[in-house]
């Protein structure tokens, strides 16, 4: 693949502005939040974002699963605008900050700017060694077909060598997700990649996932997600282990596609399970010393970013997995997905 150009990897997801601040317990109590909660903001809690900005020193990071993946891939590739991200944000100051942060890291952003809904935000409220997450999706879940089909936007899809769609995006914009898969899957020179995203997505969006099965070249997920998928697919009763489920899912995908496919499932610090060329292989994770681990929440996003970066360079699947492990290992040594200022040393 020719990585020395724009739009090598084009992704669709739910863009969020991560707002990180060290707060006191009184602030958490004010908004009825626990020190380690992970919740979606209610109407009352929606005021906390401006409150945090006015009260504390806030650090802004471009977030959301797909955006995290793209930021990591962009860092590894190092070619300006080699990656492109689509999603929906609001016409507000937080949207401006979010776009600026992503563009600073070299990502080409093609956001739809919603006239009424606010930019999606996730407050990361830190107290001692605790971290409370409070997310408000708002515009992030309102991406429209109209924006996708505008000629200048669709041109990015035409040019893409790798299309990456998350389950979160498919769940919130199903018609767009289906059109993207149909337009890019099974096309010469293109790879359609899909991430299961979360166990609940496998349950709530199962019909949508089945619709795009024939177009998926590479399926990503973690242990919990592939087990949820296996349950919804009603696989054989003797299909109990992660490895057995991955094999059955791979077989099912190949049957529906009529051609080979790849399934990549991470298991935290355990081996990554690969279905490729109709066989199962496991790849051990390079251990990071426990004392160096700060935050593992974005490990899966970082892994996919590393994998896709190497895939864009024409590497074989084992090498893509190795780069995925490298990227995940780097990112779990900081709070959230923070892109290093120095170039990646994976290539050396």
């Amino acid at each position: 693949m020719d990585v020395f150009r724009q739009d090598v990897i084009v992704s669709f997801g739910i863009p969020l502005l991560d707002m990180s601040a060290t707060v006191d317990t009184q602030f958490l109590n004010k908004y009825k939040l626990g020190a380690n909660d992970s919740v979606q903001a209610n109407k009352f809690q929606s005021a906390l974002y401006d409150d945090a900005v006015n009260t504390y020193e806030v650090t802004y990071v471009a977030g959301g699963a797909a955006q995290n993946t793209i930021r990591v891939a962009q860092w590894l590739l190092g070619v300006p605008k080699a990656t492109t991200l689509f999603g929906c944000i609001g016409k507000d100051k937080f949207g401006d900050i979010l776009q600026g942060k992503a563009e600073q890291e070299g990502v080409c952003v093609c956001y739809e700017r919603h006239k009424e809904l606010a930019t999606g935000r996730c407050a990361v409220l830190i107290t001692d060694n605790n971290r409370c997450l409070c997310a408000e999706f708002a515009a992030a879940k309102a991406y429209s077909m109209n924006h996708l089909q505008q000629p200048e936007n669709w041109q990015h899809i035409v040019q893409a060598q790798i299309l990456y769609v998350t389950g979160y995006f498919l769940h919130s914009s199903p018609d767009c997700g289906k059109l993207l898969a149909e337009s890019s899957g099974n096309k010469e020179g293109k790879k359609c990649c899909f991430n299961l995203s979360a166990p609940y997505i496998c349950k709530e969006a199962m019909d949508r996932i089945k619709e795009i099965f024939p177009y998926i070249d590479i399926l990503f997920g973690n242990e919990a997600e592939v087990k949820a998928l296996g349950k919804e697919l009603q696989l054989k009763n003797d299909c109990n282990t992660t490895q057995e489920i991955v094999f059955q899912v791979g077989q099912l995908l190949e049957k529906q596609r009529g051609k080979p496919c790849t399934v990549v499932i991470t298991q935290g610090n355990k081996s990554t399970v690969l279905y490729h060329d109709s066989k199962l292989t496991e790849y051990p994770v390079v251990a990071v010393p426990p004392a160096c681990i700060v935050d593992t929440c974005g490990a899966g996003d970082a892994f996919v970013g590393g994998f896709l970066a190497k895939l864009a360079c024409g590497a074989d699947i084992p090498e893509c997995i190795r780069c995925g492990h490298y990227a995940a290992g780097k990112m779990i040594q900081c709070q959230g997905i923070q892109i290093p200022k120095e170039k990646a040393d994976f290539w050396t």
Side-chain angles (χ1 to χ4, degrees):
M1 291 184 178
D2 178 16
V3 73
F4 298 102
R5 67 166 179 83
Q6 296 183 17
D7 292 331
V8 175
I9 305 172
V10 175
S11 176
F12 286 77
I14 308 295
L16 300 174
L17 179 64
D18 287 346
M19 304 170 57
S20 181
T22 298
V23 304
D24 52 37
T25 54
Q26 287 81 2
F27 188 82
L28 295 181
N29 292 337
K30 178 179 179 179
Y31 291 101
K32 296 180 172 55
L33 292 167
N36 289 295
D37 279 355
S38 181
V39 300
Q40 185 171 339
N42 56 36
K43 282 189 177 181
F44 168 70
Q45 292 165 335
S46 64
L48 73 82
Y49 303 98
D50 285 318
D51 195 358
V53 171
N54 295 331
T55 309
Y56 303 101
E57 183 177 345
V58 174
T59 300
Y60 298 102
V61 176
Q67 192 152 234
N68 285 339
T69 291
I70 282 297
R71 291 169 57 223
V72 171
Q74 179 63 48
W75 169 63
L76 284 158
L77 292 171
V79 179
K81 298 185 178 181
T83 62
T84 300
L85 177 73
F86 281 83
C88 187
I89 63 175
K91 280 192 171 183
D92 51 34
K93 64 179 181 181
F94 291 117
D96 294 338
I97 294 171
L98 176 54
Q99 181 162 342
K101 289 293 181 180
E103 289 179 339
Q104 283 174 15
E105 294 174 343
V107 177
C108 174
V109 292
C110 293
Y111 296 137
E112 179 176 7
R113 301 295 292 258
H114 203 284
K115 294 180 181 179
E116 299 175 1
L117 297 176
T119 296
R121 297 162 289 182
C122 181
V124 184
L125 307 174
I126 302 167
T127 52
D128 298 323
N129 293 321
N130 303 309
R131 190 179 71 159
C132 170
L133 303 178
C134 186
E136 182 177 61
F137 294 102
K141 290 188 172 182
Y143 187 79
S144 72
M145 181 70 77
N146 179 61
H147 186 267
L148 174 61
Q149 292 183 321
Q150 290 175 16
E152 65 272 23
N153 294 330
W154 190 255
Q155 187 59 30
H156 291 283
I157 314 306
V158 174
Q159 294 177 173
Q161 293 178 346
I162 299 170
L163 181 77
Y164 178 63
V165 178
T166 64
Y168 294 128
F169 181 84
L170 181 68
H171 188 30
S172 63
S173 301
D175 292 339
C176 293
K178 183 181 179 183
L179 176 62
L180 289 165
E182 290 174 344
S183 65
S184 299
N186 294 327
K187 297 292 175 64
E188 189 68 31
K190 286 184 179 286
K191 294 288 185 184
C192 181
C193 304
F194 179 72
N195 197 315
L196 295 171
S197 294
Y200 81 87
I201 295 291
C202 298
K203 182 176 181 179
E204 296 181 10
M206 194 63 244
D207 289 343
R208 296 295 187 178
I209 294 173
K210 286 180 178 178
E211 284 182 340
I212 68 170
F213 262 6
Y215 310 105
I216 298 174
D217 292 295
I218 303 176
L219 177 70
F220 293 102
N222 64 28
E223 187 176 14
E225 292 157 4
V226 79
K227 286 182 177 178
L229 178 66
K231 182 178 180 180
E232 294 302 317
L233 291 173
Q234 298 180 333
L235 299 178
K236 296 177 182 178
N237 292 332
D238 60 350
C239 191
N240 298 314
T241 68
T242 299
Q243 290 78 0
E244 290 169 338
I245 295 171
V246 172
F247 186 81
Q248 291 293 325
V249 168
Q251 293 273 293
L252 179 60
L253 276 174
E254 288 189 338
K255 182 178 180 180
Q256 294 204 12
R257 284 167 49 80
K259 59 190 296 188
C261 74
T262 300
V263 182
V264 186
I265 302 298
T266 56
Q267 303 184 96
N269 60 4
K270 296 187 294 183
S271 296
T272 295
V273 182
L274 170 71
Y275 177 90
H276 184 66
D277 288 337
S278 301
K279 61 183 180 182
L280 212 60
T281 313
E282 293 189 45
Y283 293 86
V285 173
V286 178
V288 174
C292 297
I293 298 175
V294 176
D295 182 5
T296 61
C297 286
D301 300 337
F303 171 86
V304 178
F307 186 105
L308 294 182
K310 261 300 185 178
L311 185 67
C313 296
D316 61 19
I317 297 299
E319 182 67 2
C320 292
I321 291 176
R322 193 169 77 86
C323 190
H325 288 164
Y326 163 84
K330 281 284 189 181
M331 296 303 153
I332 65 175
Q333 297 182 57
C334 56
Q335 189 75 45
I337 298 293
Q338 296 186 28
I339 302 301
K341 293 182 180 179
E342 65 275 10
K343 291 184 178 180
D345 57 7
F346 180 82
W347 314 102
T348 60

